[in-house]
Amino acid sequence: MTTLLLTNAHLIDPATGREGPGAVLVRDRVIADIHWGRPASVPEGAEVIECGGQVLTAGLVDLRAFVGEPGAEHRETLASASAAAAAGGVTTLVCMPDTNPPIDEPAIVDFVLRRARDTASIHVLPAAAITKGLAGQVMTEFGLLTEAGAVAFTDGLKAVTNAQVMRRALTYARDFGVLLMQHVEEPTLVGDGVMNEGEMASRLGLHGIPREAETILLERDIRLVRLTGGRYHAAMISCADSVEIVRRAKEAGLPVTCGVSINNLVLNENDIGHYRTFCKLSPPLRTEADRQAVVAALNEGVIDVIVSDHNPQDVETKRLPFAEAADGALGIETLLAAALRLVHAGDVSLPRLLAALSAAPSRVLGRETGRLSPGAPADLVLIDPDAPYVLDKRQLKSRSKNSPFDEARLQGQASLTMVAGRIVHRHGETR
Amino acid sequence: MTRRLSNTANGPTTLLAAGCRRSYSPSLRMSTQAPPGFPHRHLLGIEGLSPLDIVALLDRADEAVEISRQVEKKRTTLRGRTQINLFFEPSTRTQSSFELAGKRLGADVMNMSVASSSVKKGETLIDTAATLNAMRPDIIVVRHHQAGAVHLLARKVDCAVVNAGDGAHEHPTQALLDALTIRRNKGRIEGLTVAICGDVLHSRVARSNIILLMALGARVRVIGPSTLLPPGLARFGVEVFTDMRKGLKDVDIVMMLRLQRERMNGSFVPSVKEYFRYFGLDGDKLSHAKADALVMHPGPMNRGVEISSEVADGAQSLIKEQVEMGVAVRMAVLEALATHLPNA
């Protein structure tokens, strides 16, 4: 039985927005007590961690990370992804079912959970496929997969495009109370598109992806939610029109939540510059006006969750002409630092940001994490929000190096990350 | 991104407007110095060139035209240099034009096309670039079916790189040869109205031409069915028309674009018949342009699809002259880049 006192911290409870000086007492794997304001007396035998006035909050919960295990371990393993996550202050990640074989059977869920238990330093929660083989046709075993430990259902990189399949999945999901997370992109409208449609794509001679590829599928899904009552989470939206669709759905009281990729919050299509394939993403980076719209939606709470959309790609899939390169960017290790750009720019308050990074995703999953309160899991992160540095991709813990923030000036980092009472990362070293 | 000339009072277009290219007396010796204001190691696009750079290249190309019209066409500017024409996409005229240009300047020219290369065996663009780079070429001329591929390659080699067309992005030497053809026939570019017609969406020729013509002060119109016009086109600063007759009214130059066969059958336009009826250049539609309007086409032409034979072979057609200017412009480009090579 270990007891830890994290003292002299600036506490922020992402679940309530409350902030102020204080200390957190951790006993075994849970938060035993929160001392707001008053200096805490040190319990006998407790180890004291001096926080130096830095921000202490609940660990980040990332609803969307692609891990190459099983099947693409050369890109990322559960161990390397969790090391990257820990270094970025993420204490829970939901891994996508786009593995080989895909996570569409209870045995694969079991495999991922066992591998994570043995090799990962943070909580890894598998999301299972909505359809077998991610093929968009035949429903998976929602009940059995949930019993095996799947926390949500998604076809990952793919959308379920067949409306009948989606209707049945939402209907059936309601009976089991499970969550469907949809990648909202209609592939026939994406076509040959590789970036946001508009002047920039036309200048680069690249085919564009219209916003309607997103809004049409989102609108359809929300009508299906109204029809079925299933719980629906739009994995990532990227434009102002989608914000309005989600807003209306929420105002109508539908069981709809919504996420945004960190990339769409802090980058725009101009970051592609002269064909930077690390900025080739799905959904694509859009215009500055769209970026501002999703930032505003985050502030208003129309967007609930920020995800890293962590998608490790190797040199062979990225060092290609833009249209031939794979989609995706690393994100989990830089999620916090990139998100802090919004705070430093004065666009989002730190408590609001942390709510979208930990409390809201925990709520979407129905888990106890994401809050500073007695009895909650001792998943904590100590943040130095101001530390400036230039990101060097060679220092990243991921097995892949496709970070759109390579050589970017960033400010803020996780000084210490704790998972279930165990320190899994200290800045400058990783345990 | 779009350069508009705000300094026409002292900019290079005044040189053009004064018709100065007719006033110099070519010595028939191409100079060995880089033209002033051409500071680029590669030619990857018209984007990034200043009007001064463009005019310098055109002036140099005028000299090359004279050289090419002599019996003795060979020069020594590129003697000892190696030029590789790396074509990932089949091309007859562009490749032979670059080959002839290099040879007339004395370079050793090697043609490498994708059909016979290791790319089909799975080698990546980067590996191909590294392999060729190890053979120590001085200039690589590249055509690739993907936008940005030439930029990617240019970052991986030590020699000069010329973009001979990348996807739907740019084809800078085509725009330069078109500008040269226009300037030699109209005496200027500034103030002319140029209509670019057809499949602009998939056309690198159109993009390079729009940038170049606007940089030199021409008014540019773009005409085509909306399915073949790139989104955001109006923000390039061009006027957009979907009615050929309205768009051609009072223009000085009509540039036709090739419509690829695979785009004719329902995917972008319903049929060849319908396309020719509304967007093919025939005598009737051409009559809406100025009486002395000139007709251009980058080739190869689809007669009866985007242009009628009557117009293509008619008195207003500059299509054959464009081919001649192509060699001259490529000589000018190769020579300008050679001045940046080591030991130049």
Side-chain angles (χ1 to χ4, degrees), chain A residues 61 70 85 89 94 114 129 135 198 252 319 343-344 353 376 408 430:
Chain A
V61 176
V94 176
R114 283 164 186 268
R319 213 172 59 173
V343 174
H344 295 304
L353 186 77
T430 292

Side-chain angles (χ1 to χ4, degrees), chain A residues 272-292:
Chain A
I272 290 169
H274 271 234
Y275 306 100
R276 281 193 74 202
T277 58
F278 287 3
C279 290
K280 181 166 186 271
L281 304 170
S282 170
L285 297 176
R286 298 210 186 263
T287 63
E288 176 61 11
D290 287 309
R291 188 193 72 81
Q292 289 177 8

